């Protein structure tokens, strides 16, 4: 299966860069989506940039010794190597390994090439090799755990840009991934714009609530937001978001 690259608008991308993965998950829960968080995956570096981009997928199956040799791996039609060269600019390469951490889903030279090509990041429910060098590339990357052995030892690439199940979550080409310091969440493509707007609104409201809590206010009637606290928030925004004057 193949699909045309999905273009994420600059406005929507700018909103998603500012929000947390938990804010996105909450917005999706309101719409009935409960299985959207790629649980068990972690950022390779706490300093890496926010991950935002549409999914371009690669699916692996278990390797077989007569097929998955280093000679076959080195062929230009190998889907793993093609994924690195064909993942569109500003997209996220999502690698479904079926949770396999017996061999690498990618390494540092692949990460360096994707970074150079303008790929937004890489996510796998397996693991990478050469992780210290991947960190140096600056490419946002998420994995379950490091997996240094060579890819053909345990995995065979079988499909590019089709539906996958990564970390137990259904991901279709063009769905949008958002990753931060906690983990990664996926937004169905048709909901991206409204979820981005709602998640950013939640972040901005939380800044107001945080200020109120710092001043000694209870979370009751404040968080989650109520119609009354939303009116207070709207007034605070209209006033230019002034700092709260705390009473000694």
């Amino acid at each position: 299966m193949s699909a045309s690259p999905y273009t994420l608008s600059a406005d929507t991308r700018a909103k998603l860069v500012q929000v947390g993965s938990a804010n996105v998950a909450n917005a999706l829960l309101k719409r009935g989506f409960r299985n959207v968080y790629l649980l068990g995956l972690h950022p390779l570096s706490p300093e890496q940039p926010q991950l935002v981009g549409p999914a371009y997928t690669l699916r692996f199956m278990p390797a077989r010794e007569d097929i998955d040799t280093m000679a076959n791996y080195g062929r230009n039609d190998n889907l793993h190597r093609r994924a690195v060269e064909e993942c569109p600019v500003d997209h996220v390469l999502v690698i479904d390994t079926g949770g396999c951490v017996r061999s690498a889903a990618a390494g540092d030279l692949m990460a360096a090439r994707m970074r150079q090509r303008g790929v937004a990041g890489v996510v796998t429910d397996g693991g990478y090799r050469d992780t210290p060098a991947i960190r140096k590339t600056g490419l946002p990357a998420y994995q379950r755990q490091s997996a240094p052995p060579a890819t053909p030892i345990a995995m065979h690439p079988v499909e590019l840009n089709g539906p996958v199940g990564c970390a137990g979550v259904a991901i279709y080409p063009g769905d949008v991934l958002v990753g931060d310091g906690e983990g990664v969440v996926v937004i169905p493509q048709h909901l991206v714009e409204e979820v981005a707007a709602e998640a950013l609104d939640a972040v901005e409201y939380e800044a107001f609530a945080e200020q109120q809590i710092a001043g000694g206010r209870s979370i009751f009637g404040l968080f989650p937001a109520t119609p009354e606290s939303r009116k207070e928030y709207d007034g605070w925004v209209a006033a230019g978001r002034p700092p709260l004057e705390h009473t000694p």
Side-chain angles (χ1 to χ4, degrees):
M1 176 178 176
S2 62
S4 299
Y6 169 63
T7 301
L8 186 63
S9 74
D11 179 65
T12 300
R13 182 181 292 275
K15 291 174 182 174
L16 292 174
V17 165
Q18 301 177 66
V19 306
S21 56
N23 297 117
V24 172
N26 282 351
L28 287 166
L29 179 59
K30 291 180 181 178
R31 291 159 174 81
F33 291 84
R34 296 175 177 272
N35 186 35
V36 294
Y37 211 97
L38 279 64
L39 295 172
L41 306 193
H42 310 284
L44 215 57
S45 168
E47 289 82 29
Q48 69 185 28
Q50 179 99 340
L51 173 76
V52 176
Y56 183 86
T57 65
L58 167 65
R59 180 170 62 88
F60 279 103
M61 65 176 281
R64 200 174 79 179
E65 287 78 2
D66 60 331
I67 295 174
D68 294 288
T69 63
M70 288 306 295
N72 282 343
Y73 186 77
R75 290 166 52 119
N76 287 346
D77 61 355
N78 178 277
L79 294 182
H80 191 193
R81 299 171 74 235
R82 279 182 53 196
V84 172
E85 294 294 337
E86 296 177 19
C87 181
V89 171
D90 292 331
H91 281 55
V92 176
L93 180 60
V94 179
I95 305 175
D96 169 15
T97 71
C100 178
V101 291
R102 293 175 52 218
S103 64
D108 61 331
L109 293 182
M110 288 182 161
R113 176 58 178 159
M114 287 189 282
R115 179 70 168 176
Q116 189 274 334
R117 290 189 57 249
V119 171
V122 60
V123 172
T124 186
D125 57 1
Y128 307 118
R129 64 186 300 165
D130 314 310
T131 53
I134 293 177
R135 290 188 188 96
K136 291 180 181 179
T137 70
L139 182 74
Y142 292 78
Q143 66 171 6
R144 187 174 301 280
Q145 66 181 65
S146 293
T151 305
I153 290 175
M155 298 190 300
H156 174 78
V158 289
E159 186 179 18
L160 280 182
N161 215 31
V164 298
C166 189
V169 177
I171 300 177
Y172 290 81
D175 288 348
V176 172
L177 288 95
V178 177
D180 61 7
E182 290 190 302
V184 184
V185 64
V186 60
I187 311 171
Q189 182 177 323
H190 67 284
L191 294 173
V192 172
E193 292 184 6
E194 62 184 81
V195 166
E198 184 171 317
L200 181 57
D201 177 75
V203 168
E204 292 176 340
Y205 177 83
E206 286 173 6
F208 165 75
E210 182 180 6
Q211 191 179 111
Q212 294 289 320
I213 290 169
R217 183 170 173 175
S218 167
I219 63 169
F220 295 135
L222 176 67
F223 185 80
T226 64
E228 292 75 21
S229 69
R230 286 291 310 195
K231 288 181 181 178
E232 288 184 65
Y233 165 74
D234 291 340
W236 176 70
V237 170
R241 305 173 190 263
L244 179 67
E245 294 184 6
H246 300 305
T247 302

